[in-house]
Amino acid sequence: MALRLEEDEGELSEINVTPFIDVILVLLIVFMVAAPLSTVDVPVNLPGSSAPAGTRPEEPLWLTVTAERALMLGEAAVAPDDLAAALDARTGGKRDTPVFLRADRTVDYAALMQVLDRLRQAGYLKVALVGLEGAP
């Protein structure tokens, strides 16, 4: 017994691209709407934090920026150029040690960014910013 294939049971050689084009157009519209939302530049006046206090290590490494823009590592004054060496001496070269950064309220943003840059250049990337607990 031989099987016979009828002529109209052949494979369909044409692809229907209409649903594909519909999906592409919908994705295009979604990306056109979402793209400007991700690049919004909004001026911000950051409020104080009322977040609960996190856990603190037994001997935290405090880096303080005073109102006079002086750096204090623990209780000792440190020159900005000597910060990396002082941190290495204090941590034994362990660069994954968290540094708790405190700054006086009058310290401007540029001065704080300079300190953060010095920490990054020294290889200390785990930096915790310290604030007052229960600030409004």
Side-chain angles (χ1 to χ4, degrees):
M1 288 183 131
L3 293 174
R4 261 180 74 200
L5 289 175
E6 296 183 17
E7 291 181 22
D8 46 332
E9 289 184 9
E11 292 183 19
L12 181 62
S13 63
E14 297 175 10
I15 297 175
N16 187 2
V17 294
T18 305
F20 177 70
I21 292 173
D22 289 343
V23 169
I24 296 298
L25 288 175
V26 168
L27 288 174
L28 178 67
I29 291 171
V30 167
F31 286 120
M32 286 174 57
V33 170
L37 297 177
S38 65
T39 59
V40 175
D41 187 16
V42 179
V44 172
N45 183 8
L46 296 175
S49 175
S50 61
T55 58
R56 185 190 323 179
E58 290 186 26
E59 292 185 36
L61 181 60
W62 298 103
L63 179 62
T64 307
V65 182
T66 65
E68 296 80 27
R69 312 300 186 263
L71 294 177
M72 304 287 289
L73 187 59
E75 300 293 323
V78 176
D81 294 334
D82 299 333
L83 180 61
L87 285 169
D88 286 340
R90 192 79 179 274
T91 64
K94 294 182 182 177
R95 303 218 166 159
D96 60 341
T97 303
V99 177
F100 290 86
L101 180 60
R102 302 183 289 189
D104 189 84
R105 181 177 296 210
T106 60
V107 174
D108 59 349
Y109 188 72
L112 192 59
M113 284 304 297
Q114 288 175 352
V115 173
L116 287 171
D117 277 342
R118 288 186 187 276
L119 286 171
R120 182 186 50 79
Q121 290 169 357
Y124 291 88
L125 302 178
K126 290 185 176 183
V127 179
L129 300 177
V130 180
L132 293 176
E133 294 179 20

